[in-house]
């Protein structure tokens, strides 16, 4: 960018930007969004780009910008949500969307005709189910390997041709499984007509139920094999199976703990805003379901109570599996309260709204929730 153009952008920021919470966008020559950012002091943050040294990311971003736009929001929390939504909408070139923690991973149940279990480092919007986040890729990988083996699910690549039993042509000769697991009976071999779609999806359902803590069927199968190995004096093999069982138990317990944590992220959160622009957020299972001006009058409080009732009366799946867009927002909200635990003092349990009397006095002001979400 020319020095003249850079100076014009700087003068525009100096003249118009205010030091209040907001979200800003750097735009390219064709009005494409290059970068989305947030700050509690928009003016100060934007001016810092013009002071960035060569080689720094800020200098690179502003060097390619042909325009800067910003919008004010009431609070830091509002800025966090708006930045998240704009990044999802525009996927700007210079944004590293929700940098992943290399220590965290997810178990993914793919959305394929013949699904698989995988361990992945991030959540993407592909319609799959994600379970986590989990700490430690090694343990998650071992758990996925064990569940796939015990329930005989495929672990081959996505481009492996599938030929289920109910798809085989009449009088067609049988095919050999394409992998060693299928040949030794550790996979249902959907690639070679070893099962029907219904049979395979029944096993997938068992895997989903295990990850959701509904059943311990894979663990029961593993313990049975361990018992057989012990009776046959195969002690080394029994010890190996015992270690696998311990891994499965640990992963399932961690997933259940996460599920309980997500359930705790259900409340009404009132946030003071700039110049009195207070907002109330209805949050269910870590996802922001509604946002409105914080109520001040009886009628406004009545409207909020009605909205809370409508949102929390809707059936919610009793699972800990999350769709991609849910997982991303849940992680964002959970991280906010983990880094700002004092903000829990501004939350009110949704159940409080169902018992409100005609005066709705109990929601005149948020009270400490007593939650332990550390």
């Amino acid at each position: 960018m020319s020095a003249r153009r850079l100076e014009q952008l700087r003068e525009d920021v100096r003249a118009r930007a205010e030091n209040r919470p907001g979200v800003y966008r750097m735009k390219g020559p064709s009005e494409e969004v290059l970068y989305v950012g947030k700050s509690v002091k928009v003016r100060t943050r934007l001016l810092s780009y013009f002071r960035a040294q060569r080689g720094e990311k800020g200098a690179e971003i502003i060097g390619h910008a042909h325009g800067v736009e910003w919008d004010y929001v009431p609070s830091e929390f509002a800025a966090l949500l708006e930045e998240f939504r704009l990044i999802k909408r525009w996927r700007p070139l210079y944004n590293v969307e929700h940098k992943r923690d290399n220590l965290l991973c997810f178990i993914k149940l793919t959305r394929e005709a013949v699904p698989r279990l995988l361990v992945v480092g991030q959540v993407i919007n592909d319609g799959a189910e994600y379970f986590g986040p989990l700490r430690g890729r090694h343990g998650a990988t071992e758990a996925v390997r064990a569940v796939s083996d015990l329930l005989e699910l495929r672990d081959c690549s996505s481009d492996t041709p599938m030929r289920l039993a109910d798809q085989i042509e009449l009088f067609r000769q049988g095919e050999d499984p394409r992998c060693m697991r299928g040949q030794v009976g550790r996979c249902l071999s959907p690639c070679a007509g070893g099962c029907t779609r219904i049979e395979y999806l029944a096993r997938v359902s068992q895997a989903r139920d295990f990850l959701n803590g509904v059943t311990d069927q894979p663990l029961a199968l593993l313990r049975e094999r361990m018992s057989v190995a012990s009776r046959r004096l195969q002690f080394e093999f029994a010890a190996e199976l015992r270690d696998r069982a311990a891994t499965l138990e640990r992963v399932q317990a961690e997933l259940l703990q996460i599920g309980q944590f997500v359930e705790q992220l259900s409340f009404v959160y009132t946030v003071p805003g700039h110049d009195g622009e207070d907002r109330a957020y209805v949050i269910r299972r870590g996802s922001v379901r509604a946002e409105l001006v914080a109520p001040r009058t009886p009628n406004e409080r009545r409207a909020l109570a009605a909205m809370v009732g409508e949102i929390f009366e809707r059936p919610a799946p009793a699972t800990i599996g999350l769709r991609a867009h849910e997982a991303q927002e849940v992680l964002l909200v959970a991280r906010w309260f983990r880094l700002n635990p004092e903000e829990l003092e501004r939350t009110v349990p949704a159940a409080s709204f169902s018992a409100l009397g005609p005066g709705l006095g109990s929601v005149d002001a948020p009270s400490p929730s007593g939650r332990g979400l550390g």
Side-chain angles (χ1 to χ4, degrees), residues 141-171:
T141 300
E142 289 298 312
V144 163
R145 184 179 294 118
V147 172
S148 297
D149 184 58
L150 292 163
L151 297 179
E152 301 177 336
L153 301 178
R154 76 181 183 105
D155 62 359
C156 48
S157 64
S158 60
D159 59 358
T160 302
M162 294 290 108
R163 187 176 295 279
L164 292 154
D166 42 359
Q167 295 175 320
I168 293 180
E169 297 86 347
L170 192 61
F171 305 122

Side-chain angles (χ1 to χ4, degrees), residues 18-22 71-79 269-281 291-296 300 346:
E18 301 176 28
N19 261 340
R20 51 185 292 189
D71 296 300
Y72 301 117
V73 295
S75 66
E76 183 180 1
F77 183 71
Y269 175 38
T270 302
V271 186
H274 183 83
D275 282 346
E277 293 183 54
D278 300 356
R279 291 287 186 272
Y281 299 88
E291 174 186 345
L292 64 161
V293 174
R296 291 185 173 86
E300 289 175 345
R346 303 186 186 280

Side-chain angles (χ1 to χ4, degrees), residues 108 136 161 246 368:
K108 174 179 179 177

Side-chain angles (χ1 to χ4, degrees), residues 77 80-81 84 88 98 106 123 130 132-133 258-259 261-266 283-289 320-338:
F77 183 71
L80 183 76
L81 291 178
F84 169 72
K88 284 184 62 179
H98 306 293
F106 294 82
V123 171
Y130 291 84
I258 292 165
F261 175 77
V262 169
E263 287 296 337
Q264 286 183 300
L265 290 174
S266 295
I283 299 175
R284 185 178 186 185
R285 300 188 80 238
S287 179
V288 178
R289 307 298 176 90
I320 55 177
L322 298 170
R323 296 295 184 189
H325 68 282
E326 293 174 329
Q328 291 171 339
E329 187 168 321
V330 168
L331 289 175
L332 186 77
V333 171
R335 186 172 186 271
W336 167 260
F337 285 106
R338 187 173 69 251

Side-chain angles (χ1 to χ4, degrees), residues 22-81:
V23 177
Y24 57 89
R25 301 172 297 282
M26 304 288 188
K27 306 187 78 172
S30 302
E31 292 295 303
E32 71 276 19
V33 177
L34 300 177
Y35 183 76
V36 171
K38 62 173 173 55
S39 178
V40 293
K41 295 182 177 181
V42 168
R43 186 176 190 274
T44 298
R45 180 70 184 104
L46 288 176
L47 289 176
S48 71
Y49 282 91
F50 299 97
R51 296 191 297 271
Q53 300 299 310
R54 183 183 297 273
E56 296 180 352
K57 183 178 179 181
E60 182 179 358
I61 292 173
I62 199 65
H64 288 85
H66 285 243
V68 182
E69 298 177 349
W70 58 90
D71 296 300
Y72 301 117
V73 295
S75 66
E76 183 180 1
F77 183 71
L80 183 76
L81 291 178

